[in-house]
Amino acid sequence: MLSVVKAEFSKTLIEIKTYYPDHIVDVFIKFFLFLTFFIGFGQKNISTDLFCLGYSFWMIASYIISEASESISYEKQVGTIEQIFIKPFQTQTILIVRSLMHFCVSLFKFILLYILVLLILKVQFSLKAQILVVYAISIIGFLGVGIFLSALTLIFTKTASFEAIVSYALLGVSGVIIPFDKMPQLLGSTLKVFPYFYQIDMAQRISLNNSAMPLDWIILLLSNLAMCIVGFVFFNLCTRYVRNHGLINKY
C-alpha cells in the first residue's frame, strides 16, 4: 500500500509540474462560478457561510467523483489499462489512492480559491471543527460514487459528458441557490434522503445551531459507508463482466 502511495504521489507531482496551466485555469473557472452564483443568489437567499459550505462540498465531491473514472478512461485511451489489472495491488486500491491524491490537489485549489474570494470579494468563511468531521466522513461516500462511475467507464468508456451533467446538477441543488430549509418541503425532504444532500444540510445546521444530534452522526457514517460498499461491489461486478466479454481494451 505504501509503495502505491509513493508511486501515485510522484505521478501527481509530475502531472502538476507538466500541466500546471490546467490547474490554474481550473481555479479561475471555479472562482468565476463562485462569483456568478454568489452575486446572483448567495447574497439574496442564503448567508455567506451556508453558501460557502454548499459550494465547498460540491468542489470536493466533483473532484473526487470524477478522478477514478477519468483515470480509467485515460488508461483505456492510451492502451495501458491492462497494466492496472496486472499490478500486485487491487485496481480499486490504485483508484482510491489516485482519488485521494486528487483530493489533496483539490484541497490546495480550494485554499487558493478562498484566498481569491477573500482578497477580491472580501468574503470570509468560518469553519467549525464538527464540520471538518462531516467533510472527512463524506469523503468515504464520494470515493464510493467515484468507484461506481469508474465501473461504468470500464464498460462504456466515455462517461465524461455524463459526469459533467451530474456535477453541475449537484451544484444547482447543493444549497448555493436556495438553502434546504427554504426549498419546497417535498423537494427538500426528498433530497435529504441522499447522503450528499444530507451531509450538506447537516453541515449547514451545525453552522447555524453549533451542534448535531448523535443520530445525525450515525446516519451520516452509515450512509457514506453504504455508498462506498455499493461502489466497490458494483466495480467488482463490472470488472468480471469486461473480463468475460473482452472489453477491457475497448475504447
Side-chain angles (χ1 to χ4, degrees), residues 37-48 51 121 123 176:
F37 277 87
F38 184 73
I39 293 177
F41 304 100
Q43 295 177 317
K44 299 176 182 178
N45 303 322
I46 188 172
S47 69
T48 300
F51 177 88
L121 300 179
V123 172
V176 299

Side-chain angles (χ1 to χ4, degrees), residues 8-148:
E8 291 300 328
F9 180 75
S10 299
K11 177 175 176 288
T12 301
L13 286 181
I14 293 172
E15 288 179 346
I16 291 175
K17 292 178 181 178
T18 305
Y19 304 110
Y20 69 90
D22 292 342
H23 295 286
I24 295 174
V25 170
D26 186 51
V27 171
F28 278 100
I29 289 175
K30 293 295 190 296
F31 170 75
F32 284 114
L33 276 175
F34 182 96
L35 182 65
T36 301
F37 277 87
F38 184 73
I39 293 177
F41 304 100
Q43 295 177 317
K44 299 176 182 178
N45 303 322
I46 188 172
S47 69
T48 300
D49 280 355
L50 298 189
F51 177 88
C52 292
L53 277 174
Y55 196 84
S56 61
F57 267 100
W58 171 71
M59 279 191 66
I60 294 172
S62 62
Y63 280 125
I64 295 180
I65 288 173
S66 64
E67 172 58 23
S69 57
E70 286 179 358
S71 177
I72 290 291
S73 179
Y74 176 77
E75 297 284 357
K76 295 186 77 171
Q77 182 179 1
V78 299
T80 57
I81 184 67
E82 286 185 337
Q83 294 181 19
I84 296 181
F85 286 92
I86 63 176
K87 289 182 182 296
F89 302 97
Q90 288 188 335
T91 307
Q92 299 96 312
T93 302
I94 297 173
L95 293 177
I96 287 176
V97 173
R98 286 185 180 180
S99 297
L100 290 176
M101 290 297 169
H102 203 66
F103 165 71
C104 292
V105 175
S106 68
L107 190 61
F108 180 71
K109 290 180 181 179
F110 184 77
I111 293 172
L112 291 178
L113 175 65
Y114 177 72
I115 293 173
L116 284 175
V117 169
L118 183 63
L119 293 177
I120 298 176
L121 300 179
K122 309 298 182 183
V123 172
Q124 295 186 1
F125 173 38
S126 59
L127 274 177
K128 298 175 181 177
Q130 287 180 307
I131 296 177
L132 295 177
V133 178
V134 177
Y135 280 130
I137 296 175
S138 301
I139 292 172
I140 300 172
F142 294 153
L143 286 172
V145 176
I147 294 296
F148 184 92

Side-chain angles (χ1 to χ4, degrees), residues 144 147-148 224-237:
I147 294 296
F148 184 92
N224 278 277
L225 285 174
M227 288 172 63
C228 191
I229 291 171
V230 169
F232 276 94
V233 171
F234 186 68
F235 185 89
N236 287 330
L237 292 175

